[in-house]
Amino acid sequence: MAEAGFEERVIRELDSIKKQLTDIREHMVDVDCILTDKERKLVDKSYEHQKKEKLTSLSEFKKELGL
């Protein structure tokens, strides 16, 4: 009888842990989406270059390199 109560408590606890893990997964931040300060500066610089039309397409760049 005591064993059945123990099993029920273990199952309830496991269900609780499972729910907590689900909540954590839903609210986790994808670390690949976080930029470092250096990366942020590079992105900002790229936007500046785009506004000034200083960007080169990949195909143009390959032509310049003779690829």
Side-chain angles (χ1 to χ4, degrees):
M1 184 72 171
E3 192 172 303
F6 173 75
E7 288 176 3
E8 287 176 15
R9 286 195 316 257
V10 169
I11 290 171
R12 279 196 309 270
E13 186 66 25
L14 287 173
D15 286 340
S16 173
I17 292 169
K18 185 177 179 180
K19 183 185 180 314
Q20 289 173 7
L21 286 173
T22 300
D23 291 343
I24 290 169
R25 270 194 227 115
E26 288 175 2
H27 295 95
M28 275 180 53
V29 174
D30 182 3
V31 282
D32 291 332
C33 294
I34 300 173
L35 297 177
T36 64
D37 288 338
K38 183 178 179 180
E39 292 167 330
R40 183 77 227 154
K41 288 177 185 175
L42 289 171
V43 169
D44 290 343
K45 191 172 184 179
S46 176
Y47 282 129
E48 289 175 23
H49 287 207
Q50 182 182 22
K51 287 178 187 176
K52 295 177 183 177
E53 297 182 2
K54 289 185 173 181
L55 297 180
T56 304
S57 70
L58 179 59
S59 59
E60 290 174 18
F61 184 68
K62 285 182 177 181
K63 284 180 188 177
E64 289 177 16
L65 294 177
L67 300 176

Short mmCIF file of all heavy atoms in Angstrom, two decimals:
data_model
loop_
_atom_site.label_atom_id
_atom_site.label_comp_id
_atom_site.label_asym_id
_atom_site.label_seq_id
_atom_site.Cartn_x
_atom_site.Cartn_y
_atom_site.Cartn_z
N MET A 1 0.82 -1.19 0.00
CA MET A 1 0.00 0.00 0.00
C MET A 1 0.86 1.25 0.00
O MET A 1 0.63 2.17 -0.74
CB MET A 1 -0.93 -0.04 1.21
CG MET A 1 -1.89 1.10 1.27
SD MET A 1 -3.15 0.88 0.00
CE MET A 1 -4.25 2.16 0.46
N ALA A 2 1.89 1.25 0.85
CA ALA A 2 2.77 2.41 0.92
C ALA A 2 3.53 2.57 -0.39
O ALA A 2 3.86 3.68 -0.79
CB ALA A 2 3.74 2.27 2.08
N GLU A 3 3.79 1.45 -1.03
CA GLU A 3 4.51 1.50 -2.30
C GLU A 3 3.68 2.20 -3.38
O GLU A 3 4.21 2.96 -4.18
CB GLU A 3 4.85 0.07 -2.75
CG GLU A 3 5.84 0.03 -3.89
CD GLU A 3 6.29 -1.39 -4.18
OE1 GLU A 3 6.80 -2.05 -3.26
OE2 GLU A 3 6.11 -1.80 -5.34
N ALA A 4 2.37 2.00 -3.38
CA ALA A 4 1.49 2.65 -4.36
C ALA A 4 1.49 4.16 -4.14
O ALA A 4 1.52 4.93 -5.10
CB ALA A 4 0.07 2.09 -4.25
N GLY A 5 1.49 4.60 -2.89
CA GLY A 5 1.54 6.03 -2.59
C GLY A 5 2.85 6.64 -3.06
O GLY A 5 2.88 7.77 -3.57
N PHE A 6 3.93 5.92 -2.88
CA PHE A 6 5.25 6.39 -3.32
C PHE A 6 5.27 6.53 -4.82
O PHE A 6 5.75 7.53 -5.36
CB PHE A 6 6.32 5.41 -2.84
CG PHE A 6 7.68 5.72 -3.38
CD1 PHE A 6 8.42 6.79 -2.87
CD2 PHE A 6 8.23 4.97 -4.42
CE1 PHE A 6 9.67 7.09 -3.38
CE2 PHE A 6 9.48 5.27 -4.92
CZ PHE A 6 10.21 6.33 -4.40
N GLU A 7 4.73 5.53 -5.53
CA GLU A 7 4.71 5.57 -6.99
C GLU A 7 3.88 6.76 -7.49
O GLU A 7 4.27 7.44 -8.44
CB GLU A 7 4.15 4.26 -7.55
CG GLU A 7 5.11 3.10 -7.40
CD GLU A 7 4.50 1.79 -7.87
OE1 GLU A 7 3.35 1.78 -8.37
OE2 GLU A 7 5.19 0.76 -7.73
N GLU A 8 2.76 7.02 -6.84
CA GLU A 8 1.92 8.15 -7.23
C GLU A 8 2.66 9.48 -7.03
O GLU A 8 2.59 10.37 -7.88
CB GLU A 8 0.62 8.16 -6.42
CG GLU A 8 -0.34 7.07 -6.83
CD GLU A 8 -1.58 7.04 -5.97
OE1 GLU A 8 -1.84 8.02 -5.23
OE2 GLU A 8 -2.30 6.04 -6.03
N ARG A 9 3.39 9.60 -5.92
CA ARG A 9 4.16 10.82 -5.67
C ARG A 9 5.26 11.01 -6.71
O ARG A 9 5.50 12.11 -7.19
CB ARG A 9 4.77 10.80 -4.26
CG ARG A 9 3.75 11.05 -3.16
CD ARG A 9 4.43 11.37 -1.83
NE ARG A 9 5.57 10.50 -1.52
CZ ARG A 9 5.55 9.50 -0.65
NH1 ARG A 9 4.45 9.22 0.04
NH2 ARG A 9 6.62 8.77 -0.43
N VAL A 10 5.92 9.90 -7.07
CA VAL A 10 6.99 9.97 -8.07
C VAL A 10 6.40 10.40 -9.41
O VAL A 10 6.96 11.26 -10.09
CB VAL A 10 7.72 8.62 -8.19
CG1 VAL A 10 8.63 8.58 -9.41
CG2 VAL A 10 8.51 8.32 -6.92
N ILE A 11 5.27 9.82 -9.78
CA ILE A 11 4.63 10.17 -11.05
C ILE A 11 4.20 11.64 -11.05
O ILE A 11 4.42 12.36 -12.04
CB ILE A 11 3.43 9.23 -11.34
CG1 ILE A 11 3.96 7.82 -11.67
CG2 ILE A 11 2.57 9.77 -12.49
CD1 ILE A 11 2.90 6.76 -11.77
N ARG A 12 3.63 12.12 -9.95
CA ARG A 12 3.24 13.54 -9.86
C ARG A 12 4.46 14.45 -9.99
O ARG A 12 4.44 15.46 -10.68
CB ARG A 12 2.49 13.82 -8.56
CG ARG A 12 1.03 13.44 -8.58
CD ARG A 12 0.26 14.09 -7.44
NE ARG A 12 0.85 13.89 -6.13
CZ ARG A 12 0.59 12.87 -5.31
NH1 ARG A 12 -0.28 11.95 -5.67
NH2 ARG A 12 1.17 12.78 -4.13
N GLU A 13 5.53 14.07 -9.31
CA GLU A 13 6.76 14.86 -9.36
C GLU A 13 7.34 14.87 -10.78
O GLU A 13 7.76 15.92 -11.28
CB GLU A 13 7.79 14.32 -8.36
CG GLU A 13 9.03 15.16 -8.23
CD GLU A 13 8.80 16.54 -7.64
OE1 GLU A 13 7.82 16.72 -6.89
OE2 GLU A 13 9.59 17.44 -7.94
N LEU A 14 7.34 13.72 -11.44
CA LEU A 14 7.84 13.65 -12.81
C LEU A 14 6.97 14.49 -13.75
O LEU A 14 7.49 15.18 -14.65
CB LEU A 14 7.90 12.20 -13.29
CG LEU A 14 9.01 11.35 -12.68
CD1 LEU A 14 8.85 9.90 -13.12
CD2 LEU A 14 10.38 11.88 -13.07
N ASP A 15 5.65 14.46 -13.56
CA ASP A 15 4.76 15.30 -14.36
C ASP A 15 5.06 16.78 -14.14
O ASP A 15 5.08 17.57 -15.09
CB ASP A 15 3.29 15.01 -14.03
CG ASP A 15 2.80 13.69 -14.60
OD1 ASP A 15 3.43 13.17 -15.54
OD2 ASP A 15 1.78 13.19 -14.09
N SER A 16 5.33 17.14 -12.90
CA SER A 16 5.66 18.52 -12.58
C SER A 16 6.97 18.94 -13.25
O SER A 16 7.08 20.02 -13.85
CB SER A 16 5.77 18.70 -11.07
OG SER A 16 6.24 19.99 -10.75
N ILE A 17 7.96 18.07 -13.19
CA ILE A 17 9.26 18.34 -13.84
C ILE A 17 9.08 18.46 -15.35
O ILE A 17 9.65 19.35 -15.99
CB ILE A 17 10.28 17.25 -13.47
CG1 ILE A 17 10.63 17.34 -11.99
CG2 ILE A 17 11.53 17.36 -14.34
CD1 ILE A 17 11.42 16.16 -11.47
N LYS A 18 8.28 17.59 -15.92
CA LYS A 18 8.02 17.61 -17.36
C LYS A 18 7.38 18.95 -17.77
O LYS A 18 7.78 19.56 -18.75
CB LYS A 18 7.10 16.45 -17.75
CG LYS A 18 6.86 16.32 -19.23
CD LYS A 18 6.01 15.10 -19.52
CE LYS A 18 5.73 14.96 -20.99
NZ LYS A 18 4.90 13.77 -21.27
N LYS A 19 6.42 19.43 -16.98
CA LYS A 19 5.77 20.71 -17.26
C LYS A 19 6.77 21.85 -17.15
O LYS A 19 6.80 22.75 -17.99
CB LYS A 19 4.60 20.94 -16.30
CG LYS A 19 3.85 22.23 -16.60
CD LYS A 19 2.78 22.49 -15.57
CE LYS A 19 2.03 23.77 -15.82
NZ LYS A 19 2.83 24.92 -16.13
N GLN A 20 7.63 21.81 -16.14
CA GLN A 20 8.63 22.86 -15.96
C GLN A 20 9.60 22.88 -17.15
O GLN A 20 9.96 23.95 -17.64
CB GLN A 20 9.40 22.65 -14.66
CG GLN A 20 8.59 22.93 -13.42
CD GLN A 20 9.33 22.56 -12.16
OE1 GLN A 20 10.50 22.21 -12.19
NE2 GLN A 20 8.64 22.64 -11.03
N LEU A 21 10.02 21.72 -17.60
CA LEU A 21 10.92 21.64 -18.76
C LEU A 21 10.26 22.19 -20.02
O LEU A 21 10.89 22.89 -20.82
CB LEU A 21 11.39 20.21 -18.99
CG LEU A 21 12.42 19.68 -18.00
CD1 LEU A 21 12.67 18.19 -18.24
CD2 LEU A 21 13.70 20.46 -18.10
N THR A 22 8.99 21.90 -20.20
CA THR A 22 8.24 22.43 -21.34
C THR A 22 8.19 23.95 -21.27
O THR A 22 8.43 24.63 -22.27
CB THR A 22 6.82 21.84 -21.37
OG1 THR A 22 6.91 20.41 -21.49
CG2 THR A 22 6.03 22.39 -22.54
N ASP A 23 7.91 24.50 -20.09
CA ASP A 23 7.87 25.96 -19.90
C ASP A 23 9.23 26.58 -20.19
O ASP A 23 9.33 27.63 -20.83
CB ASP A 23 7.42 26.32 -18.49
CG ASP A 23 5.95 25.99 -18.23
OD1 ASP A 23 5.21 25.78 -19.21
OD2 ASP A 23 5.57 25.94 -17.05
N ILE A 24 10.28 25.94 -19.71
CA ILE A 24 11.65 26.46 -19.94
C ILE A 24 11.95 26.48 -21.43
O ILE A 24 12.44 27.47 -21.97
CB ILE A 24 12.68 25.61 -19.17
CG1 ILE A 24 12.56 25.86 -17.67
CG2 ILE A 24 14.10 25.92 -19.66
CD1 ILE A 24 13.35 24.88 -16.82
N ARG A 25 11.64 25.40 -22.14
CA ARG A 25 11.89 25.33 -23.58
C ARG A 25 11.15 26.42 -24.33
O ARG A 25 11.68 27.01 -25.27
CB ARG A 25 11.48 23.96 -24.13
CG ARG A 25 12.58 22.96 -24.09
CD ARG A 25 12.23 21.75 -24.95
NE ARG A 25 12.53 20.58 -24.18
CZ ARG A 25 11.65 19.69 -23.74
NH1 ARG A 25 10.39 19.80 -24.02
NH2 ARG A 25 12.02 18.66 -23.02
N GLU A 26 9.91 26.69 -23.93
CA GLU A 26 9.10 27.69 -24.62
C GLU A 26 9.64 29.10 -24.42
O GLU A 26 9.43 29.97 -25.27
CB GLU A 26 7.65 27.62 -24.13
CG GLU A 26 6.91 26.40 -24.62
CD GLU A 26 5.52 26.28 -24.03
OE1 GLU A 26 5.10 27.16 -23.25
OE2 GLU A 26 4.84 25.29 -24.35
N HIS A 27 10.34 29.34 -23.32
CA HIS A 27 10.82 30.69 -23.02
C HIS A 27 12.32 30.87 -23.18
O HIS A 27 12.86 31.94 -22.89
CB HIS A 27 10.40 31.07 -21.59
CG HIS A 27 8.92 31.18 -21.45
ND1 HIS A 27 8.15 30.13 -21.00
CD2 HIS A 27 8.06 32.18 -21.72
CE1 HIS A 27 6.88 30.49 -20.99
NE2 HIS A 27 6.80 31.73 -21.42
N MET A 28 12.99 29.85 -23.68
CA MET A 28 14.45 29.94 -23.87
C MET A 28 14.78 30.85 -25.04
O MET A 28 14.06 30.91 -26.02
CB MET A 28 15.04 28.55 -24.16
CG MET A 28 15.34 27.77 -22.93
SD MET A 28 16.04 26.12 -23.28
CE MET A 28 17.38 26.46 -24.34
N VAL A 29 15.87 31.55 -24.91
CA VAL A 29 16.37 32.40 -25.99
C VAL A 29 17.37 31.58 -26.80
O VAL A 29 18.22 30.90 -26.24
CB VAL A 29 17.07 33.65 -25.41
CG1 VAL A 29 17.71 34.47 -26.49
CG2 VAL A 29 16.08 34.47 -24.60
N ASP A 30 17.25 31.68 -28.10
CA ASP A 30 18.18 30.99 -28.99
C ASP A 30 19.50 31.77 -28.99
O ASP A 30 19.56 32.90 -29.46
CB ASP A 30 17.61 30.92 -30.39
CG ASP A 30 18.50 30.17 -31.36
OD1 ASP A 30 19.54 29.64 -30.94
OD2 ASP A 30 18.13 30.11 -32.55
N VAL A 31 20.55 31.20 -28.43
CA VAL A 31 21.83 31.90 -28.31
C VAL A 31 22.41 32.29 -29.66
O VAL A 31 23.19 33.24 -29.75
CB VAL A 31 22.88 31.10 -27.51
CG1 VAL A 31 22.64 31.17 -26.04
CG2 VAL A 31 22.96 29.68 -27.99
N ASP A 32 22.01 31.62 -30.72
CA ASP A 32 22.49 31.98 -32.05
C ASP A 32 21.87 33.29 -32.54
O ASP A 32 22.32 33.85 -33.53
CB ASP A 32 22.21 30.87 -33.05
CG ASP A 32 23.05 29.64 -32.79
OD1 ASP A 32 24.16 29.79 -32.25
OD2 ASP A 32 22.60 28.53 -33.13
N CYS A 33 20.83 33.76 -31.85
CA CYS A 33 20.17 35.01 -32.23
C CYS A 33 20.72 36.21 -31.48
O CYS A 33 20.32 37.34 -31.73
CB CYS A 33 18.67 34.91 -31.99
SG CYS A 33 17.87 33.69 -33.03
N ILE A 34 21.61 35.99 -30.54
CA ILE A 34 22.16 37.07 -29.73
C ILE A 34 23.47 37.54 -30.35
O ILE A 34 24.36 36.74 -30.64
CB ILE A 34 22.40 36.61 -28.28
CG1 ILE A 34 21.07 36.17 -27.66
CG2 ILE A 34 23.05 37.70 -27.46
CD1 ILE A 34 21.22 35.54 -26.29
N LEU A 35 23.58 38.84 -30.57
CA LEU A 35 24.79 39.39 -31.16
C LEU A 35 25.73 39.91 -30.08
O LEU A 35 25.28 40.48 -29.09
CB LEU A 35 24.45 40.56 -32.09
CG LEU A 35 23.59 40.26 -33.30
CD1 LEU A 35 23.30 41.54 -34.07
CD2 LEU A 35 24.27 39.26 -34.20
N THR A 36 27.02 39.73 -30.31
CA THR A 36 28.01 40.34 -29.43
C THR A 36 28.10 41.82 -29.81
O THR A 36 27.56 42.25 -30.84
CB THR A 36 29.39 39.68 -29.62
OG1 THR A 36 29.83 39.95 -30.96
CG2 THR A 36 29.35 38.18 -29.37
N ASP A 37 28.78 42.61 -29.00
CA ASP A 37 28.97 44.02 -29.31
C ASP A 37 29.68 44.19 -30.64
O ASP A 37 29.32 45.04 -31.46
CB ASP A 37 29.75 44.73 -28.20
CG ASP A 37 28.93 44.91 -26.93
OD1 ASP A 37 27.68 44.88 -27.03
OD2 ASP A 37 29.53 45.11 -25.86
N LYS A 38 30.69 43.36 -30.86
CA LYS A 38 31.45 43.42 -32.11
C LYS A 38 30.56 43.11 -33.31
O LYS A 38 30.60 43.81 -34.34
CB LYS A 38 32.62 42.44 -32.04
CG LYS A 38 33.52 42.48 -33.25
CD LYS A 38 34.69 41.51 -33.08
CE LYS A 38 35.59 41.53 -34.31
NZ LYS A 38 36.72 40.61 -34.18
N GLU A 39 29.73 42.07 -33.20
CA GLU A 39 28.82 41.70 -34.28
C GLU A 39 27.80 42.81 -34.54
O GLU A 39 27.46 43.11 -35.68
CB GLU A 39 28.12 40.39 -33.96
CG GLU A 39 29.03 39.19 -33.95
CD GLU A 39 28.40 37.95 -33.34
OE1 GLU A 39 27.53 38.09 -32.45
OE2 GLU A 39 28.79 36.85 -33.75
N ARG A 40 27.29 43.41 -33.47
CA ARG A 40 26.31 44.50 -33.59
C ARG A 40 26.92 45.68 -34.36
O ARG A 40 26.28 46.28 -35.22
CB ARG A 40 25.85 44.95 -32.20
CG ARG A 40 24.80 46.02 -32.21
CD ARG A 40 23.46 45.41 -32.56
NE ARG A 40 22.85 46.24 -33.56
CZ ARG A 40 21.96 45.84 -34.45
NH1 ARG A 40 21.54 44.61 -34.45
NH2 ARG A 40 21.45 46.65 -35.31
N LYS A 41 28.17 46.01 -34.05
CA LYS A 41 28.85 47.10 -34.75
C LYS A 41 29.02 46.78 -36.23
O LYS A 41 28.86 47.65 -37.08
CB LYS A 41 30.21 47.38 -34.10
CG LYS A 41 30.09 48.05 -32.75
CD LYS A 41 31.44 48.24 -32.09
CE LYS A 41 31.25 48.81 -30.69
NZ LYS A 41 32.51 48.91 -29.95
N LEU A 42 29.33 45.52 -36.53
CA LEU A 42 29.47 45.11 -37.93
C LEU A 42 28.14 45.22 -38.68
O LEU A 42 28.09 45.66 -39.83
CB LEU A 42 30.01 43.68 -38.03
CG LEU A 42 31.48 43.50 -37.64
CD1 LEU A 42 31.81 42.01 -37.56
CD2 LEU A 42 32.39 44.20 -38.63
N VAL A 43 27.06 44.85 -38.03
CA VAL A 43 25.73 44.96 -38.64
C VAL A 43 25.39 46.43 -38.87
O VAL A 43 24.92 46.81 -39.95
CB VAL A 43 24.65 44.27 -37.76
CG1 VAL A 43 23.25 44.60 -38.25
CG2 VAL A 43 24.84 42.77 -37.74
N ASP A 44 25.66 47.26 -37.88
CA ASP A 44 25.39 48.70 -38.03
C ASP A 44 26.19 49.29 -39.18
O ASP A 44 25.68 50.07 -39.97
CB ASP A 44 25.71 49.44 -36.73
CG ASP A 44 24.73 49.12 -35.61
OD1 ASP A 44 23.63 48.60 -35.90
OD2 ASP A 44 25.08 49.38 -34.43
N LYS A 45 27.46 48.89 -39.28
CA LYS A 45 28.32 49.37 -40.35
C LYS A 45 27.79 48.90 -41.72
O LYS A 45 27.80 49.65 -42.69
CB LYS A 45 29.74 48.86 -40.14
CG LYS A 45 30.77 49.50 -41.01
CD LYS A 45 32.17 49.06 -40.58
CE LYS A 45 33.24 49.76 -41.39
NZ LYS A 45 34.58 49.36 -40.97
N SER A 46 27.29 47.69 -41.77
CA SER A 46 26.73 47.16 -43.00
C SER A 46 25.50 47.98 -43.43
O SER A 46 25.33 48.29 -44.61
CB SER A 46 26.34 45.70 -42.82
OG SER A 46 25.71 45.20 -43.97
N TYR A 47 24.65 48.34 -42.47
CA TYR A 47 23.48 49.18 -42.79
C TYR A 47 23.92 50.54 -43.31
O TYR A 47 23.33 51.07 -44.26
CB TYR A 47 22.58 49.37 -41.56
CG TYR A 47 21.70 48.17 -41.27
CD1 TYR A 47 21.66 47.62 -39.99
CD2 TYR A 47 20.90 47.59 -42.24
CE1 TYR A 47 20.86 46.53 -39.70
CE2 TYR A 47 20.10 46.50 -41.97
CZ TYR A 47 20.08 45.97 -40.69
OH TYR A 47 19.29 44.90 -40.42
N GLU A 48 24.97 51.10 -42.72
CA GLU A 48 25.50 52.39 -43.20
C GLU A 48 25.98 52.25 -44.64
O GLU A 48 25.69 53.11 -45.48
CB GLU A 48 26.66 52.85 -42.31
CG GLU A 48 26.26 53.31 -40.94
CD GLU A 48 27.47 53.64 -40.07
OE1 GLU A 48 28.56 53.92 -40.61
OE2 GLU A 48 27.32 53.58 -38.83
N HIS A 49 26.68 51.18 -44.93
CA HIS A 49 27.18 50.94 -46.29
C HIS A 49 26.03 50.75 -47.27
O HIS A 49 26.10 51.22 -48.41
CB HIS A 49 28.11 49.74 -46.32
CG HIS A 49 29.45 50.01 -45.71
ND1 HIS A 49 30.57 49.33 -46.08
CD2 HIS A 49 29.86 50.90 -44.76
CE1 HIS A 49 31.61 49.79 -45.40
NE2 HIS A 49 31.19 50.73 -44.58
N GLN A 50 24.98 50.09 -46.81
CA GLN A 50 23.83 49.87 -47.68
C GLN A 50 23.18 51.22 -48.02
O GLN A 50 22.84 51.47 -49.18
CB GLN A 50 22.81 48.95 -47.00
CG GLN A 50 21.60 48.65 -47.86
CD GLN A 50 20.59 47.79 -47.15
OE1 GLN A 50 20.57 47.72 -45.93
NE2 GLN A 50 19.74 47.13 -47.91
N LYS A 51 23.02 52.08 -47.04
CA LYS A 51 22.41 53.40 -47.27
C LYS A 51 23.25 54.22 -48.26
O LYS A 51 22.71 54.97 -49.07
CB LYS A 51 22.27 54.17 -45.96
CG LYS A 51 21.17 53.64 -45.06
CD LYS A 51 21.13 54.43 -43.76
CE LYS A 51 20.15 53.81 -42.79
NZ LYS A 51 20.16 54.50 -41.49
N LYS A 52 24.57 54.09 -48.19
CA LYS A 52 25.47 54.84 -49.05
C LYS A 52 25.74 54.10 -50.37
O LYS A 52 26.57 54.53 -51.16
CB LYS A 52 26.79 55.10 -48.33
CG LYS A 52 26.63 55.99 -47.11
CD LYS A 52 27.95 56.16 -46.39
CE LYS A 52 27.77 57.00 -45.13
NZ LYS A 52 29.04 57.12 -44.39
N GLU A 53 25.03 52.98 -50.56
CA GLU A 53 25.18 52.13 -51.76
C GLU A 53 26.63 51.72 -51.98
O GLU A 53 27.14 51.72 -53.10
CB GLU A 53 24.60 52.84 -52.98
CG GLU A 53 23.11 53.10 -52.84
CD GLU A 53 22.50 53.75 -54.07
OE1 GLU A 53 23.21 53.99 -55.06
OE2 GLU A 53 21.29 54.02 -54.02
N LYS A 54 27.29 51.34 -50.90
CA LYS A 54 28.68 50.90 -50.97
C LYS A 54 28.82 49.37 -50.93
O LYS A 54 29.92 48.87 -50.81
CB LYS A 54 29.47 51.47 -49.79
CG LYS A 54 29.73 52.94 -49.86
CD LYS A 54 30.62 53.37 -48.71
CE LYS A 54 31.06 54.80 -48.81
NZ LYS A 54 31.94 55.18 -47.70
N LEU A 55 27.71 48.67 -51.02
CA LEU A 55 27.78 47.20 -50.95
C LEU A 55 28.02 46.60 -52.33
O LEU A 55 27.63 47.16 -53.36
CB LEU A 55 26.48 46.65 -50.37
CG LEU A 55 26.15 47.05 -48.93
CD1 LEU A 55 24.84 46.40 -48.50
CD2 LEU A 55 27.26 46.65 -47.98
N THR A 56 28.66 45.46 -52.35
CA THR A 56 28.92 44.72 -53.57
C THR A 56 28.23 43.37 -53.46
O THR A 56 28.34 42.70 -52.44
CB THR A 56 30.44 44.50 -53.76
OG1 THR A 56 31.09 45.77 -53.74
CG2 THR A 56 30.75 43.78 -55.04
N SER A 57 27.53 42.97 -54.52
CA SER A 57 26.86 41.67 -54.49
C SER A 57 27.90 40.56 -54.54
O SER A 57 29.05 40.78 -54.97
CB SER A 57 25.90 41.53 -55.67
OG SER A 57 26.63 41.42 -56.87
N LEU A 58 27.51 39.40 -54.13
CA LEU A 58 28.43 38.26 -54.13
C LEU A 58 28.88 37.93 -55.56
O LEU A 58 30.06 37.66 -55.80
CB LEU A 58 27.77 37.03 -53.49
CG LEU A 58 28.60 35.77 -53.43
CD1 LEU A 58 29.91 36.00 -52.66
CD2 LEU A 58 27.82 34.63 -52.81
N SER A 59 27.95 37.99 -56.50
CA SER A 59 28.32 37.68 -57.89
C SER A 59 29.32 38.71 -58.43
O SER A 59 30.28 38.34 -59.12
CB SER A 59 27.08 37.61 -58.78
OG SER A 59 26.38 38.84 -58.76
N GLU A 60 29.14 39.99 -58.09
CA GLU A 60 30.09 41.02 -58.53
C GLU A 60 31.45 40.79 -57.87
O GLU A 60 32.50 40.93 -58.51
CB GLU A 60 29.58 42.41 -58.17
CG GLU A 60 28.39 42.86 -58.98
CD GLU A 60 27.84 44.19 -58.48
OE1 GLU A 60 28.54 44.92 -57.75
OE2 GLU A 60 26.67 44.48 -58.81
N PHE A 61 31.43 40.43 -56.60
CA PHE A 61 32.67 40.17 -55.87
C PHE A 61 33.42 39.00 -56.49
O PHE A 61 34.65 39.06 -56.67
CB PHE A 61 32.35 39.90 -54.39
CG PHE A 61 33.56 39.72 -53.54
CD1 PHE A 61 34.42 40.77 -53.28
CD2 PHE A 61 33.83 38.48 -52.97
CE1 PHE A 61 35.54 40.60 -52.48
CE2 PHE A 61 34.96 38.29 -52.18
CZ PHE A 61 35.81 39.36 -51.92
N LYS A 62 32.70 37.95 -56.86
CA LYS A 62 33.34 36.79 -57.49
C LYS A 62 33.96 37.17 -58.83
O LYS A 62 35.04 36.70 -59.17
CB LYS A 62 32.32 35.66 -57.67
CG LYS A 62 31.98 34.93 -56.39
CD LYS A 62 30.99 33.81 -56.65
CE LYS A 62 30.70 33.02 -55.41
NZ LYS A 62 29.75 31.91 -55.67
N LYS A 63 33.26 38.01 -59.59
CA LYS A 63 33.81 38.48 -60.88
C LYS A 63 35.11 39.23 -60.66
O LYS A 63 36.08 39.05 -61.39
CB LYS A 63 32.81 39.37 -61.58
CG LYS A 63 31.67 38.65 -62.24
CD LYS A 63 30.73 39.63 -62.90
CE LYS A 63 29.48 38.93 -63.41
NZ LYS A 63 28.53 39.89 -64.00
N GLU A 64 35.12 40.09 -59.62
CA GLU A 64 36.33 40.86 -59.31
C GLU A 64 37.50 39.94 -58.97
O GLU A 64 38.65 40.24 -59.28
CB GLU A 64 36.07 41.84 -58.17
CG GLU A 64 35.18 43.01 -58.52
CD GLU A 64 34.88 43.90 -57.33
OE1 GLU A 64 35.59 43.81 -56.30
OE2 GLU A 64 33.92 44.68 -57.42
N LEU A 65 37.20 38.83 -58.32
CA LEU A 65 38.24 37.88 -57.93
C LEU A 65 38.59 36.90 -59.07
O LEU A 65 39.53 36.13 -58.95
CB LEU A 65 37.81 37.08 -56.70
CG LEU A 65 37.66 37.87 -55.40
CD1 LEU A 65 37.15 36.96 -54.29
CD2 LEU A 65 38.98 38.49 -54.99
N GLY A 66 37.79 36.94 -60.11
CA GLY A 66 38.02 36.04 -61.24
C GLY A 66 37.53 34.63 -60.97
O GLY A 66 38.09 33.67 -61.52
N LEU A 67 36.54 34.50 -60.17
CA LEU A 67 36.01 33.17 -59.84
C LEU A 67 34.79 32.84 -60.69
O LEU A 67 34.01 33.60 -61.05
CB LEU A 67 35.62 33.09 -58.36
CG LEU A 67 36.75 33.34 -57.38
CD1 LEU A 67 36.22 33.33 -55.95
CD2 LEU A 67 37.83 32.28 -57.53
#
